[in-house]
Amino acid sequence: MPAPLPSSDLLRCCLIAALAWAGQDVSAQTATGLVSGVTVESNLPAAGFISRHQAIDLRLSGAIDPAARLAVLLGATDLTDLFRSTPGGLRYTPTVVPLSPGEREMTVYLVRADGRWEELGRFPLRVRNAAGLDRWRAMPRLDLGLEGQLAQSQAPAEPAPPRTTWQDFTGQLALETDAGRGPSRWTTQASVIGVSHQAGALRFAERADAAPQVDLSSYLVRLGSGPAEVAIGHVSLGNQRHLISGFTSRGAAVRLTPGSRVELAAGLVNGSSIVGWTNPVGLNDSDHRLLSGTLALEALTRPGGLRLELSGLSGSVRPQAGYNQGVVNDAESSRGVGLRVTASDPTQRIRLETGFARSSFDNPDDSSLARGGTLVPVEEVTRNAHYVDAAVDVLRAVRLGPERSASLALGFRRERVDPLYRSLGAFARADQETNQWEARATIAGLALQASHARSTDNLSHLASVLTSRTRRNLLAAELPLASLLGTTRTWLPLLSYGFDRTQQLGEGVPENGGFSESHVPDQVSRNQTFTSTWNLRHLTFGYRLAHSLQDNRQPGREASDFANLIHGATVGLTPLRSVSVDLSLDLERAENRETSAIDRTRRFGGRASVTPGSQSTLAFSLSHTRAEDDAGLRRRLDTILDTQWSSTVPGLRRFGSRYYFRFSRTTGRVLDQAVGLDQSTERWSISSGFNLGLSPVTP
């Protein structure tokens, strides 16, 4: 594998590729007076910008009345006195006072002796700034936060928390810039995070106490000129579901659009998600990075009519984790190609997306894992994956009356991933085949959605591997009675119903796998939910009924069934604009039919908020849960109380400043007569926080 490209050389190549300048249109502009017939011509370009020191010439095609004069206005500002007369026109030379940067409109008038003004012409005046840029904008933002715990107590005292009181400072500095000149453009984004507590450092999980407390979170630099664009930093690659799809890491990417129908994109990124100041481009390790490229072609002149995308991937990763990921157990490498096709008719009624990927995956030899033993070599495997997503709008807003309509959409999805398929750029569940049919309809306000899915595994039909088939049926309906009946009565509820039936069935007992018939799944799960919601002026009320059943049918476990029933109610009150109250009550019954055990759970919750002023809020929340079995052997009680006052800081409101004080108290008790357990816990804390945001905008 080639040696890594030095960061300085990579940056130099990117700059050369992006800063190719294109010429600008400097053709003169001409305008004609409506009455006098005099033509005025300017040396200002019809498109593009001029420098702050470029002279402005106005030339007339003919003579004007000696008693008349010319007037030049820039917006509402009269600049006539800054122009000097020249043979056949006027001239402004910004030698002492340069032109102000920005985009404005310059208007030339003929002022007659009787005081009448006749417009001769208008010309756009676009002036570069002092740095020679057509546009420049910087958007910095600084967010500061201080959060801590002022007091705390718990019983029992053990285990003691690592800190009882603290005040932790956090800060985030973000900067976005946007600049350009002619066809060239530059944009940057960067974010730096700082913390006062070491355990809150961005890379603490990776480097522990060696992690910097002020670290680079992310950055992205885009350089473009005409059809070419280069990006360095945290970039995202790929649009092929099974090969590489939205893989985001630190690296470099190039995008070329030589025409409206051709697009070429390529990128080289680190093999895992990284942050921090080290490895700024992310490409220092040639054995831990991914190379990807995509060639896209619009086969039709109509965008989206038929688009073809050919993608490629080649990469390898070391057995190391990203800063926010688990450990990678082994070195891996993969390479592959993929094709993605999207199509639609001109009305977008018919839509199709399909893709095919072929990937070769390998675990390179790693003698360090042997630890004195012998490793069995892993052979490289090449496998395929494909998918199809199709949709058609059979009916689209067909009128059923003056205020009612109907729509119907059908869809089909298919996905197959071969056994042992793997790609480093995308997650794909190998050894699976799924087919799904969908239908969505709306009829005079009634919304219906139904789907049927069938999936299977063990596509190689190995006798020693369990084969299971899954069937899933979904139905959802939403019925706004007021809309269906064509009335404005707000007391009519919104009704909804959901049904979900899933069956998982194993096929036969695998050979030499240690399975028995009771281990082969044969299970049906059914879930049904009904809800109704009333929305009145100062009152909302909701009711929910949910029932679920897990029906086991495999030999020896026919009685291992579980059933749950839930009744839930919610009430919302807004007696005043500054006061709101929400109450909820849930009653749950869980039955284990194998042991004839029934557990009951009651949950009560309430929330209230008062806003005495437009900048302050006092909020309360209380929840209580009581769970016990019908036999009276087990019981659990939990109560959580939370109170918070939050408000802006006087004098700092324009900076988004806000502070809060919070009191929290949690109590719990567990009783289990079967094991002689009776344990109570209590914990309370007082915490505070302060946030301040500074975001000046530079034009």
Side-chain angles (χ1 to χ4, degrees), residues 389-444:
D389 291 347
V392 56
D393 294 337
V394 180
L395 302 176
R396 181 182 288 180
V398 176
R399 304 302 300 179
L400 300 178
E403 297 181 357
R404 300 183 181 184
S405 63
S407 300
L408 174 62
L410 303 178
F412 172 73
R413 303 174 186 270
R414 172 180 169 81
E415 182 177 24
R416 178 187 170 96
V417 183
D418 285 349
L420 302 181
Y421 178 91
R422 181 81 187 275
S423 175
L424 295 180
F427 172 78
R429 188 176 178 183
D431 200 14
Q432 288 282 329
E433 180 178 307
T434 302
N435 293 278
Q436 181 172 330
W437 294 263
E438 300 176 343
R440 297 187 305 276
T442 58
I443 306 173

Side-chain angles (χ1 to χ4, degrees), residues 2 18 31 76 198 293 372 388 457 506 538 564 653:
Q198 182 64 35
V388 176
D457 55 15
H538 298 293
N564 282 59
R653 293 177 181 176

Side-chain angles (χ1 to χ4, degrees), residues 144-205:
L144 303 176
L146 183 65
E147 295 189 353
Q149 187 165 272
L150 304 177
Q152 179 265 346
S153 177
Q154 68 177 44
E158 299 295 336
R163 297 187 299 168
T164 56
T165 60
W166 71 86
Q167 290 292 323
D168 292 341
F169 171 80
T170 61
Q172 179 175 359
L173 175 62
L175 174 64
E176 296 184 15
T177 64
D178 181 13
R181 173 169 173 163
S184 298
R185 55 197 179 277
W186 304 267
T187 61
T188 63
Q189 301 174 10
S191 177
V192 177
I193 295 179
V195 297
S196 62
H197 184 48
Q198 182 64 35
L202 197 59
R203 287 185 284 170
F204 180 78

Side-chain angles (χ1 to χ4, degrees), residues 234 247-250 270-275 288 321-325:
H234 287 80
F247 189 91
T248 302
S249 187
R250 187 177 290 180
N270 193 275
S272 56
S273 182
I274 61 174
V275 295
H288 192 72
Y323 82 102
N324 62 348
Q325 298 172 328

Side-chain angles (χ1 to χ4, degrees), residues 42-59:
S42 168
N43 66 334
L44 295 175
F49 285 68
I50 64 173
S51 70
R52 302 177 65 197
H53 302 283
Q54 178 175 323
I56 300 177
D57 289 322
L58 299 175
R59 295 178 295 276

